[in-house]
Amino acid sequence: MALEIERKFLVVNDKWKDNILSEAVLKQGYIANQPNATVRVRIAGDSACLNLKSATKGISRSEFEYPIPLADAEQILAQLAEQPFIDKTRYKVRWGGHVWDLDLFAGENSGLIMAEVELSSEDEPFELPPWAGEEVSGDPRYYNANLVKHPYSQW
């Protein structure tokens, strides 16, 4: 079983731009969005994946991800996924020995900028960047699966 351990923070300034490693436009939709698990399809450029995640317990959850054909992902998003989609640009940003995922949301979630760092254990130390503000790891409003049902623009 794969385990995802991550901490999420709101982004408070643009200083992260000095440490960008890569950039990708992501489009994702949820096929199942239940309290105990989510099933998501994500398109990133010309690749796609199917992702299953358990409910979050603290900052950890089970996660399984599988590549799928791009054409299948496009069809699944068009026919089966909840609306609105999650549209965001993801930047990989190096800081303090870790590579962070920094997401600039678009569409219904425009204005939201979040950064997350994946850890190997819940107590792994990491350096908090100067662009990281309030921690939102435990706030369900910031889960992507919830941003579909309650977009940031409607808060």
Side-chain angles (χ1 to χ4, degrees), residues 10-30:
L10 297 179
V11 174
V12 295
N13 62 50
D14 289 342
K15 293 180 182 177
W16 56 272
K17 291 182 178 180
D18 296 333
N19 299 303
I20 295 172
L21 300 173
S22 67
E23 173 183 345
V25 175
L26 307 180
K27 181 178 185 177
Q28 64 190 46
Y30 289 83

Side-chain angles (χ1 to χ4, degrees), residues 28-34 39-41 50 68 71-85 148:
Q28 64 190 46
Y30 289 83
I31 302 163
N33 193 351
Q34 304 300 317
V39 179
R40 172 190 80 202
V41 169
L50 177 69
I68 62 173
D72 290 359
E74 290 169 341
Q75 248 186 333
I76 290 168
L77 287 176
Q79 297 173 10
L80 304 175
E82 291 182 68
Q83 302 286 326
F85 297 123
V148 170

